[in-house]
Amino acid sequence: MASRQARPPEAPLKVAVLGCGSVGSQVVRLLGEQAGDLAARVGAPVELVGVAVRRLDAPRDIDVPDGLLTTDAIGLVSRDDVDLVIEVIGGIEPARSLILAALEAGKSVVTANKALLAEDGPTLFEAAEKAGRDLYYEAAVAGAIPILRPLRESLAGDRVTRVLGIVNGTTNFILDKMDTSGAGFAEALEEAQELGYAEADPTADVEGFDAAAKAAILASLAFHSRVTAADVHREGIAEVTAADVASARAMHSVVKLLAICELRETDDGQSAVAVRVHPAMIPTSHPLASVRGAFNAVFVESEAAGQLMFYGPGAGGAPTASAVLGDLVTVARNRLGGTRGPGESAYADRAVLPMGETVTRYHVAIDVADRAGVLAAVATAFAEHGVSIQTVRQEGRDADAQLVVVSHEATDAQLAATVESLRGMDIVREVTSVMRVEGVAE
């Protein structure tokens, strides 16, 4: 019997990394430490040949091997011997130009750049399609949690109807601290900064910009339609008070910053996409209510599979690098096999509904004069705008009387008009809190 000939060893696949910050440094570390395993999984060695940085003398978490650092990023991605490019710079430019240059030069690209994908993803996908190369981006949403690949591939034979997620660890830490300790927003934010969960300038996180970019990416994949960050209704958590959190607790609920992506049927029978990011009360029985600290979780609902939940660390250098390396293995295998993975899927081309047409529920706290007829007048204000009341309770007496109303579902425009009407009533001293309510207590 003839002996089986050994397969000749594959030439190394050469990788360039753009950026060496918290994520990039961990990518470089893992490429070195796991070189043997990566070679076995890919089918060929994976060799790091360059790391582009802004400053050669900047302090770094790791020692980059001699000769790999360069400030010439465009020269690195254009090198003839580079096969794969990993972009972990972040931001719009120069990341966009570098990714486009890499694709045009025939490189496959792995990126963690949520802001760029949410702003100008179609340009990148079109460039990848034209070049016949891969563009993978699992690390752009929810760190190490595998959520984009299941939406793009595992659920490709199903119809996803809703994606509900906690996709920002900083805001989840702050809201969780407010719930468990009774702290106010400013106090909880200060602790998050001291522990390294929040940046010195936390605007992108606490104002919901980070979550909105991720929501756009999730909605695009789930509903096969182009959704940008500009399409996402966005509200942050800076206005959430300790009183809001306490009121949620009284309703057996917690406050979370949620990214909500839904299919909705329009009046003409067509399906459209609704995408929003805002704080909301959810019942403690909902799986997302138990997501604590800086963790992330994404809850997916589909017609055939039902309800699925993905949970884990949503940020940090090492968890995000794990997702980057997972994509790297896939695009490297595709490169060896002469194939490419799925590109952009936007065939459904669904419209994105404005927030006013989105269906939701409200929790409204109202300081009122404690006299006869107040409750009836408030109920009339809701009814005049076509909003029915689910529950109402009164707290306090005399000068401190407060009504807390939770509505049934209505359009956001109807509910917003109701709140404005309440603010104009002489019996209402102040509408002290307005927050949306998601989920149904089990």
Side-chain angles (χ1 to χ4, degrees):
M1 180 176 180
S3 61
R4 185 177 180 182
Q5 289 187 338
R7 182 184 178 196
E10 295 281 0
L13 287 167
K14 298 189 177 182
V15 179
V17 175
L18 307 180
C20 198
S22 61
V23 177
S25 62
Q26 294 303 310
V27 169
V28 171
R29 178 181 66 82
L30 291 173
L31 283 171
E33 292 180 0
Q34 299 185 11
D37 286 336
L38 290 172
R41 294 164 190 166
V42 168
V46 177
E47 179 184 347
L48 178 64
V49 297
V51 181
V53 294
R54 189 172 299 167
R55 287 174 44 219
L56 296 175
D57 60 350
R60 296 185 175 86
D61 296 337
I62 63 164
D63 292 326
V64 179
D66 291 341
L68 292 186
L69 289 177
T70 178
T71 57
D72 183 10
I74 191 69
L76 179 61
V77 302
S78 302
R79 278 173 45 176
D80 291 339
D81 63 332
V82 169
D83 301 297
L84 312 169
V85 172
I86 297 172
E87 184 274 310
V88 283
I89 301 171
I92 306 303
E93 288 292 353
R96 172 168 44 199
S97 296
L98 291 170
I99 290 174
L100 291 174
L103 291 168
E104 289 166 6
K107 326 301 183 186
S108 296
V109 175
V110 174
T111 179
N113 197 327
K114 55 188 173 287
L116 177 56
L117 288 162
E119 178 174 301
D120 200 18
T123 298
L124 304 183
F125 297 128
E126 288 166 8
E129 180 72 25
K130 182 178 179 181
R133 295 303 182 194
D134 282 325
L135 174 66
Y136 272 54
Y137 49 99
E138 181 67 62
V141 178
I145 302 172
I147 179 61
L148 302 188
R149 195 183 305 260
L151 286 174
R152 184 172 56 187
E153 299 175 25
S154 304
L155 294 172
D158 204 345
R159 186 172 188 262
V160 176
T161 56
R162 194 167 192 246
V163 180
L164 180 72
I166 297 168
V167 295
N168 182 274
T170 298
T171 52
N172 200 58
F173 176 88
I174 292 170
L175 293 172
D176 186 39
K177 180 58 63 174
M178 292 174 70
D179 179 55
T180 57
S181 71
F185 170 77
E187 183 182 351
L189 171 58
E190 183 178 358
E191 182 172 349
Q193 289 172 320
E194 290 173 352
L195 294 172
Y197 292 127
E199 302 286 346
D201 179 2
T203 303
D205 294 322
V206 302
E207 295 298 337
F209 290 101
D210 175 83
K214 295 170 181 175
I217 295 169
L218 288 168
S220 298
L221 280 174
F223 306 133
H224 306 283
S225 302
R226 287 181 172 177
V227 180
T228 70
D231 296 319
V232 181
H233 174 83
R234 175 192 55 79
E235 297 174 27
I237 66 167
E239 302 303 317
V240 176
T241 66
D244 293 329
V245 174
S247 188
R249 192 180 304 114
M251 294 171 54
H252 305 290
S253 298
V254 294
V255 178
K256 298 290 186 184
L257 182 72
L258 298 178
I260 304 169
C261 315
E262 300 171 300
L263 280 185
R264 289 284 184 178
E265 188 170 304
T266 60
D267 292 340
D268 60 1
Q270 300 298 310
S271 63
V273 178
V275 193
R276 50 199 163 105
V277 167
H278 54 69
M281 297 180 180
I282 58 173
T284 54
S285 58
H286 193 285
L288 288 178
S290 62
V291 179
R292 312 297 296 271
F295 277 72
N296 283 192
V298 181
F299 197 74
V300 178
E301 299 176 16
S302 68
E303 289 185 349
Q307 297 179 334
L308 306 169
M309 183 161 151
F310 303 81
Y311 169 83
T320 306
S322 170
V324 169
L325 267 291
D327 277 351
L328 177 67
V329 169
T330 300
V331 299
R333 287 170 174 166
N334 290 346
R335 185 82 177 212
L336 284 179
T339 63
R340 59 188 298 258
E344 182 188 27
S345 176
Y347 71 88
D349 195 26
R350 295 183 171 99
V352 180
L353 291 175
M355 186 61 188
E357 296 180 29
T358 298
V359 177
T360 185
R361 294 190 293 147
Y362 271 21
H363 168 282
V364 186
I366 317 161
D367 280 346
V368 296
D370 188 21
R371 63 175 187 253
V374 167
L375 181 57
V378 168
T380 298
F382 276 80
E384 287 176 345
H385 294 283
V387 180
S388 64
I389 293 175
Q390 181 181 39
T391 63
V392 60
R393 71 177 190 272
Q394 180 171 331
E395 299 175 351
R397 300 285 297 176
D398 303 324
D400 295 325
Q402 184 179 74
L403 292 179
V404 178
V405 180
V406 177
S407 74
H408 282 292
E409 283 192 339
T411 67
D412 199 77
Q414 289 174 297
L415 288 159
T418 302
V419 171
E420 285 306 303
S421 178
L422 291 170
R423 288 187 168 124
M425 297 171 66
D426 59 1
I427 60 169
V428 175
R429 297 191 183 95
E430 184 183 5
V431 177
T432 58
S433 174
V434 178
M435 188 170 293
R436 294 175 184 87
V437 178
E438 296 293 330
V440 178
E442 297 177 357

